């Protein structure tokens, strides 16, 4: 059986890399945590991996704007290797700060253009929010999700969020296009999957968007943290599947199964 | 750069005191004379570098002169006087208990930057709690940020460096509704201090990627001018990395932040009272990302065995960090090679600056380039600034010029031991007169207590902290049956599965603090705080025989005999309880001189003894939370309720003048907690919550709305030590009491296990969302929607 190779890009201020590594390893992958400086010194190294993951944290302290500096480093110092990676259909995931980075380098929502056309802005509450939220998994494409990362999930799952800049914002035109293409993967909702308000919607995102993917469904970005819910034990009331696992694990499993 | 020689040889007493004051040396006359004697012997005046070095090294902050000094303590009980003489209070009480207990699971106690105990065969866990009070009073945001930044470096600097897994924070603030006109000149308003402090911890802790999982806040007007900011960090370290040893010839490497003019005199200014002239430049400036880079890289260097010793630059900056590492060997450093934030620092400023994010390493010459490259790869600044010698001297150069040349033995051993007087007089305490309440007032009182500033929800603070980063927080600071409901969890549990693959073990963190009791008797306060910390840990499944404790004294001016007396009382309590429970203190810290003087009037804080607890549990799957689980389950109250409303939340609300402060029977407490541990271990408890501030009715309300369940309580079933009115029964804050939930199938086993422990079934869990309280004896019947109780609990602290 083929060993799947995952690369986790990290830099000063990256935080969630160890739990993300554990999540992929639990699903049978081999994982390298690679510092951006090392990638810059060998630009094509990245293409030798099967899955690319950008973890959460405060890359470079989120100075200027969340994720901005690292997204520029990846975009302008790694040549078009990241774009190649995305268009080749290999799975890419950006979580929290990683989502901010994918959006700000323009890998989401449209990797073809590779230009920033949306952003993640300050929470409406104007403060950092750490809590578990409910998420509605969109299944509009003949009852399946477009996104390869979120297949066979329940209609509503819960994951923890922890961010100060998680409000998804885009022009109406772009927003409508994302909706039309079914690129919305997760929306904040109440426990029955219905529309909700603060605090269950922690940031006031347009259309309650918590996560999106590209048209192909291989590039996925989300504010909540699936890597913090790979075991049922991590859930506030210890819910999960198969007795021990948390629904976050399924997300990483999907990417690995997809490649097998 | 100019180095000044300071005239001291020919100064008289008055001039010596003046010199100490005007250059913020914070040295007493006796100490100044000792310095004078040393330099008279070597027949020259000191340089400013030398004088500053002595001041830092001898500061209360670094040397803890009071707790390790001579104390003559006079206790007056019922007209009888008893005098006890201490040569070293800390050694003879807290430290002594730890030595007597001599636990084989203690790896490193009271000698390094943190205490270390066993986690498993190959790993230990380290815990340290620091205070950053003076800086937080002057600059709340920077003060608390560098407080948490500093204690994280203590964990990085323990042994050869531990990996931080969790932060804790406990604050004492003035009352947020204080009138602006009542705030002393030169101080910030308590609410501004509170907001600034919380933001500081949030921004530093979150950026470091360390979850803040446990803490507490206590509001009292006594902390208006002197807020208390306790910051703690717990980390994990391989046992074979838990010791450090400097060898002569090793190189001195400074890593991380650059040195600037921030934090000059931090150590010395925090060793005296504050006033409106206190200088904000004594407060350091933090940058978490620099510290995160140091963390990422130094643990790699540790695992490659590239250095022999490490410690952090905290109070006293390089002078104390390098000084401590070189104490046994000797040291030569060229201050000109220290990387600076900007030009223009005098050598003495470079040497004592408390600029943040700096670690000092002892590196064998052969690893010189390896370690530099490792840091360079991730843009971490690392510079060799000197060498450890074998001549026992502190030799500081600036380029060619020698700017300091002193014996380490004088620097570290020369400080004269002060002798202080301490007194304590027993107060006569009466019970409050019996309290009569109607069902209606009782219903209102329950909500008033839940809404009290010292009981109400801290979610406004907790949710600004990332308490789940690293993914290992399996018992969270707020727990609830679903995402919508939450209640105050007694202790947090960290499951370090990303570090120790396949482990089932976890680390329990909890704390106990209650300065309200200390206003009456610091002995009882300390005893209750220790039990509270242990109760909290036991509630989630900790073994009361495997708990380790940290002490943090925050007191006023120890030169005042009554204040020092109350401190001695606390130390004695800590000693008695540590031995009584057979639980060791593994580390601690004291912060004295928490006073503020204005127009000759001095405000001193109410003494605060924070107890932090850390314990390792065998199986995280067995941990229990405080929220009610299922309708039909029985609710038992474990422990006896006594008429102890003294200094309680209820008597504060009702303005009672009298009342007995909760007492403690260690043997009953021990047995009770051990039995609860066994019950959780056998899987007999669905939920468990301890009774503390607000009494049993507050605890049961919290369990109900956290679980989104109703409860029916029969108040007449609550065991009391004497005839008590219903209000006394419900709001008494007696120690050693727990509320537990037991499912029908376990009731028999449970009652068998608890034979010999005071326990009574007081109610049942129901599916309706009401708290129903009945007492036929007192003709009381209360029915309240739990949502209203939760609202009352949550509304107070929403800024």
């Amino acid at each position: 059986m083929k060993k799947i190779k995952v690369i986790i890009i990290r830099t000063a201020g990256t935080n969630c890399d160890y739990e993300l590594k554990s999540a992929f390893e639990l699903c049978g992958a081999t994982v390298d945590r690679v510092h951006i400086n090392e990638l810059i010194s060998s630009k094509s190294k990245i293409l030798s991996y099967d899955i690319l993951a950008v973890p959460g944290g405060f890359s470079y302290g989120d100075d200027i704007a969340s994720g901005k500096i690292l997204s520029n480093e990846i975009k302008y110092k790694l040549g078009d290797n990241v774009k190649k990676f995305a268009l080749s259909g290999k799975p890419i995931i950006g979580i929290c700060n990683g989502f901010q980075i994918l959006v700000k380098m323009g890998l989401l929502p449209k990797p073809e253009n590779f230009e920033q056309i949306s952003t993640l802005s300050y929470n409406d509450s104007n403060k950092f929010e750490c809590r578990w939220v409910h998420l509605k998994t969109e299944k509009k494409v003949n009852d399946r999700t477009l996104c390869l990362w979120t297949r066979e999930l329940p209609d509503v799952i819960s994951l923890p969020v922890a961010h100060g800049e998680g409000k998804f914002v885009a022009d109406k035109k772009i927003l409508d296009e994302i909706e039309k293409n079914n690129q919305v993967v997760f929306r904040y909702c109440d426990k029955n999957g219905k529309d909700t308000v603060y605090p269950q919607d922690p940031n006031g995102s347009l259309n309650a968007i918590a996560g999106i993917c590209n048209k192909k469904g291989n590039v996925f970005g989300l504010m909540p943290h699936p890597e913090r819910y790979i075991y049922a034990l991590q859930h506030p009331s210890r819910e999960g599947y198969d007795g021990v696992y948390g629904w976050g694990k399924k997300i990483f499993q999907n990417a690995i199964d997809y490649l097998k | 750069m100019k180095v000044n020689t300071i005239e001291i040889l020919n100064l008289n007493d008055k001039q010596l005191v003046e010199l100490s004051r005007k250059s913020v040396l914070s040295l007493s006359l006796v100490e100044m004379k000792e310095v004078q004697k040393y330099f008279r012997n070597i027949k020259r005046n000191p340089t400013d570098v030398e004088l500053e070095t002595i001041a830092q090294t001898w500061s209360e902050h670094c040397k803890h002169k009071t707790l390790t000094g001579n104390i003559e303590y006079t206790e007056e009980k019922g007209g009888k006087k008893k005098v006890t003489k201490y040569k070293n209070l800390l050694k003879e009480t807290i430290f002594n208990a730890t030595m007597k207990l001599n636990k084989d699971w203690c790896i490193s106690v009271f000698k390094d930057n943190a205490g270390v105990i066993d986690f498993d065969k190959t790993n230990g866990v380290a815990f340290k709690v620091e205070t950053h009070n003076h800086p937080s009073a002057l600059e709340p945001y920077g003060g608390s940020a560098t407080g948490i930044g500093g204690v994280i470096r203590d964990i990085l600097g323990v042994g050869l460096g531990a990996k931080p897994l969790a932060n804790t924070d406990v604050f004492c603030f003035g009352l947020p509704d204080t009138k602006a006109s009542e705030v002393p000149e030169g101080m910030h308003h308590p609410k501004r201090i509170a907001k600034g402090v919380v933001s500081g911890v949030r921004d530093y802790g979150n950026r470091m990627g360390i979850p803040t999982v446990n803490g507490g806040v206590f509001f009292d007007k006594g902390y208006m001018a002197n807020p208390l900011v306790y910051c703690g960090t717990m980390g994990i370290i391989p046992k074979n990395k838990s010791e450090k040893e400097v060898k002569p010839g090793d190189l001195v490497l400074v890593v991380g932040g650059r040195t600037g003019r921030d934090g000059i005199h931090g150590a010395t200014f925090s060793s005296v009272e504050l006033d409106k002239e206190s200088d904000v430049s004594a407060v350091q400036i933090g940058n978490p990302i620099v510290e995160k880079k140091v963390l990422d890289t130094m643990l790699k260097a540790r695992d490659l065995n590239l250095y022999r010793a490490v410690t952090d630059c905290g109070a006293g900056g390089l002078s104390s960090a390098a000084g401590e590492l070189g104490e046994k060997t000797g040291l030569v450093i060229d201050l000109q090679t220290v990387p600076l934030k900007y030009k223009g620092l005098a050598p003495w400023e470079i040497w004592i600056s408390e600029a943040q994010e700096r670690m000092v390493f002892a590196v064998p010459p052969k690893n010189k380039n390896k370690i530099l490259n490792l840091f360079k790869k991730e843009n971490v600044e690392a510079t060799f600034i000197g060498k450890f010698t074998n001549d026992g001297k502190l030799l500081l150069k600036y380029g060619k010029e020698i700017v300091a040349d002193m014996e380490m033995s004088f620097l570290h051993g020369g400080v004269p031991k002060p002798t202080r007087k301490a007194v304590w007089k027993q107060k006569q305490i009466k019970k409050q007169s019996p309290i009569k309440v109607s069902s209606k007032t009782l219903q209102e009182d329950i909500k008033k207590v839940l809404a009290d500033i010292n009981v109400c929800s801290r979610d406004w603070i907790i949710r600004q902290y990332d308490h789940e980063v690293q993914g290992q927080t399996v018992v969270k600071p707020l727990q609830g049956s679903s995402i919508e409901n939450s209640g105050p969890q007694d202790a947090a549990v960290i499951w370090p599965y990303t570090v120790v693959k396949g482990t089932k073990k976890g680390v329990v963190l909890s704390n106990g603090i209650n300065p309200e009791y200390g206003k009456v008797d610091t002995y009882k306060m300390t005893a209750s705080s220790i039990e509270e910390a242990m109760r909290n840990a036991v509630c989630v499944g900790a073994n009361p025989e495997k708990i380790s404790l940290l002490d943090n004294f925050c007191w006023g001016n120890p030169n005042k005999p009554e204040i020092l007396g109350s401190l001695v009382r606390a130390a004695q309590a800590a000693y008695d309880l540590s031995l009584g429970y057979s639980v060791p203190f593994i580390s601690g810290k004291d912060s004295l001189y928490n006073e503020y003087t204005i127009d000759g009037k001095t405000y001193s804080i109410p003494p605060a003894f924070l107890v932090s607890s850390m314990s390792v549990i065998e199986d995280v799957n067995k941990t229990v939370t405080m929220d009610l689980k299922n309708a039909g389950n029985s609710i038992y109250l474990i422990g006896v309720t006594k008429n102890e409303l003294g200094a309680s939340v209820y008597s504060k609300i009702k303005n009672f003048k009298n009342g007995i402060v909760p007492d403690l029977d260690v043997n009953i407490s021990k047995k009770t907690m051990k039995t609860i541990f066994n019950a959780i271990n056998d899987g007999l408890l669905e939920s468990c919550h301890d009774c503390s501030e607000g009494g049993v009715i507050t605890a049961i309300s919290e369990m109900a709305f956290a679980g989104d369940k109703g409860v029916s309580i029969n108040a007449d079933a609550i065991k009391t030590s004497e005839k008590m009115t219903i209000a006394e029964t419900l709001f008494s804050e007696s120690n050693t009491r727990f509320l537990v939930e037991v499912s029908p199938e376990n009731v028999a086993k449970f009652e068998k296990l608890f034979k010999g422990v005071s326990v009574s079934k007081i109610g049942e869990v129901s599916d309706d969302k009401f708290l129903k309280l009945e007492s036929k004896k007192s003709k009381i019947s209360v029915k309240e929607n739990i949502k209203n109780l939760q609202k009352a609990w949550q509304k107070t602290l929403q800024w």
Side-chain angles (χ1 to χ4, degrees), chain A residues 17 23 74-75 105 140 151 165 212:
Chain A
D17 43 340
I74 294 174
K75 182 168 186 172
M105 78 170 89
K140 294 219 176 103
R151 291 175 184 170
E165 296 177 50
I212 58 170

Side-chain angles (χ1 to χ4, degrees), chain B residues 403-627:
Chain B
V403 297
D405 182 355
M406 286 186 292
E407 299 296 327
M408 283 287 184
S409 53
F410 167 70
L411 200 50
H412 291 279
V415 56
K417 267 187 158 210
T419 300
R420 290 199 172 87
K421 288 209 177 317
V423 298
W424 178 73
K425 230 176 159 179
Q426 189 178 39
K427 298 190 195 115
Q428 283 315 320
I429 312 288
K430 294 201 296 308
K431 278 182 200 155
Q432 72 287 339
S433 34
I435 311 146
K436 293 261 169 288
V437 287
S438 67
S439 296
K440 195 170 165 307
T441 32
L442 184 59
Q443 186 157 0
E444 287 319 301
D445 289 350
I446 293 170
K447 282 181 279 185
K448 273 189 204 150
V449 169
L450 280 168
D452 180 79
I453 190 78
N454 286 335
V455 175
C456 71
S457 173
R458 273 71 175 111
D459 64 304
W460 179 83
I461 299 171
I462 294 167
R463 300 229 180 264
Q464 291 190 64
Y465 300 152
D466 191 341
H467 47 266
E468 307 234 14
V469 62
Q470 297 189 15
Q472 305 181 133
T473 315
V474 290
V475 174
K476 309 167 196 305
L478 292 167
Q479 277 291 156
S481 62
S482 79
I483 289 159
E484 290 71 21
N485 321 299
S486 64
Q489 180 55 46
D490 301 284
V493 179
I494 297 289
W495 174 40
Y497 73 93
T498 65
V499 186
V500 187
K501 302 281 173 209
T503 188
K504 280 178 146 190
K505 293 186 163 208
V507 185
V508 178
L509 296 177
S510 70
N511 73 80
I513 184 169
N514 193 336
E516 206 64 54
Y517 296 172
K519 295 174 184 175
V520 182
D521 182 354
T522 52
Y523 188 98
K524 282 190 167 185
M525 166 182 78
T526 306
S528 292
S529 303
I530 290 172
E531 204 213 30
E532 188 185 7
M534 293 179 69
R535 282 200 312 262
N536 286 333
V538 167
C539 279
V540 299
N543 179 347
E545 291 164 357
K546 283 290 188 68
I547 291 175
S548 58
L549 303 174
L550 272 62
D551 65 278
N552 277 90
F553 294 83
C554 285
W555 249 254
N557 183 342
N559 299 319
K560 298 175 183 163
E562 313 71 35
I563 290 181
L564 188 54
S566 69
L567 191 152
V568 173
R569 287 277 292 168
Q572 287 171 334
Y575 173 76
D576 296 347
L577 275 285
S578 176
L579 285 181
Y581 282 116
S582 175
V583 297
F585 283 88
I586 58 169
S587 178
K589 177 81 196 310
D590 59 281
S591 163
L592 308 178
Y593 301 94
N594 288 289
E595 296 196 341
Y596 184 88
T597 308
I598 158 170
D599 310 337
K601 196 174 177 331
T602 298
Y603 306 77
S604 182
I605 62 159
F609 186 85
L610 169 67
V611 182
S612 309
S613 102
M614 168 173 71
S615 49
V616 174
I617 48 169
E618 292 307 311
D619 184 356
V620 286
N621 296 287
K622 290 183 173 177
T623 52
V624 170
T625 58
M626 54 74 67
D627 49 305

Side-chain angles (χ1 to χ4, degrees), chain B residues 224-476:
Chain B
M224 176 158 63
N226 294 86
L228 303 184
V229 173
Y230 300 90
C231 297
T233 302
M234 181 272 288
I236 189 159
I237 182 169
K239 282 185 189 173
N240 59 9
K241 305 281 185 195
S242 60
E243 296 290 329
K244 58 184 105 199
E245 186 204 6
V246 175
K247 290 219 167 90
D250 288 351
L251 305 172
V252 184
L253 181 69
V254 59
V255 173
R258 293 186 157 214
T259 300
R261 211 169 251 131
D262 51 319
I264 299 276
H265 287 146
T268 47
F269 110 105
S270 61
S271 303
V272 290
E273 306 87 338
L274 292 172
D275 58 33
K276 62 172 188 277
E277 264 78 43
S278 297
D279 187 355
V280 179
S281 74
V283 182
Q284 310 82 346
I285 299 164
N287 181 348
I289 298 309
V290 175
E291 188 151 308
K292 182 62 164 58
K293 288 197 291 182
V294 174
L295 159 62
D296 292 345
T297 43
M298 74 167 272
L299 291 182
K300 254 195 249 168
R302 177 196 74 185
D303 297 336
L304 294 167
N305 305 309
L306 294 183
Y307 55 86
R308 251 195 286 263
V310 60
T311 195
D312 70 306
C313 279
L318 286 169
S319 75
S320 77
E324 278 166 34
L325 285 183
E327 182 179 346
K328 306 257 175 307
T329 54
L331 188 67
V332 52
I333 283 179
D334 180 355
L335 295 173
Q336 205 167 28
T337 59
V338 177
L340 303 178
K341 292 180 178 175
Y342 35 73
K343 287 208 190 70
L345 273 74
W348 70 268
E349 292 178 307
I350 298 172
W351 184 232
I352 71 163
S353 159
E354 295 178 15
Q356 294 293 289
E357 291 90 30
R358 299 176 303 162
M359 303 292 290
V360 177
F361 295 77
V363 181
K366 64 172 169 41
N367 298 336
K368 195 174 178 190
N369 298 329
K370 274 211 208 91
I371 199 166
L372 283 184
N373 290 334
L374 184 144
F375 286 121
K376 191 156 165 281
K377 275 210 184 101
E378 299 194 10
N379 317 352
V380 177
E381 194 158 18
T383 318
F384 287 101
I385 61 170
K387 195 163 109 211
F388 293 98
T389 58
N390 55 5
D391 59 6
K393 275 172 167 283
L394 173 71
L395 186 65
L396 299 178
K397 299 180 177 172
Y398 190 83
K400 299 232 169 332
E401 181 182 9
I402 290 177
V403 297
D405 182 355
M406 286 186 292
E407 299 296 327
M408 283 287 184
S409 53
F410 167 70
L411 200 50
H412 291 279
V415 56
K417 267 187 158 210
T419 300
R420 290 199 172 87
K421 288 209 177 317
V423 298
W424 178 73
K425 230 176 159 179
Q426 189 178 39
K427 298 190 195 115
Q428 283 315 320
I429 312 288
K430 294 201 296 308
K431 278 182 200 155
Q432 72 287 339
S433 34
I435 311 146
K436 293 261 169 288
V437 287
S438 67
S439 296
K440 195 170 165 307
T441 32
L442 184 59
Q443 186 157 0
E444 287 319 301
D445 289 350
I446 293 170
K447 282 181 279 185
K448 273 189 204 150
V449 169
L450 280 168
D452 180 79
I453 190 78
N454 286 335
V455 175
C456 71
S457 173
R458 273 71 175 111
D459 64 304
W460 179 83
I461 299 171
I462 294 167
R463 300 229 180 264
Q464 291 190 64
Y465 300 152
D466 191 341
H467 47 266
E468 307 234 14
V469 62
Q470 297 189 15
Q472 305 181 133
T473 315
V474 290
V475 174
K476 309 167 196 305

Side-chain angles (χ1 to χ4, degrees), chain B residues 98-139:
Chain B
T98 303
M99 291 302 113
K100 281 184 177 168
L101 293 171
N102 187 27
K103 296 286 180 187
D104 59 1
W105 43 268
C106 287
I107 297 173
S108 168
V109 294
F110 287 106
K111 62 175 191 184
D112 206 334
N113 290 314
V116 187
I117 63 168
D118 273 344
F119 178 73
D120 61 12
K121 272 194 194 59
T122 48
N123 299 289
V125 277
F127 194 19
K128 173 72 171 187
V129 175
E130 268 286 356
T131 53
H132 226 219
N133 306 337
H134 286 62
S136 303
L138 299 186
E139 211 280 81

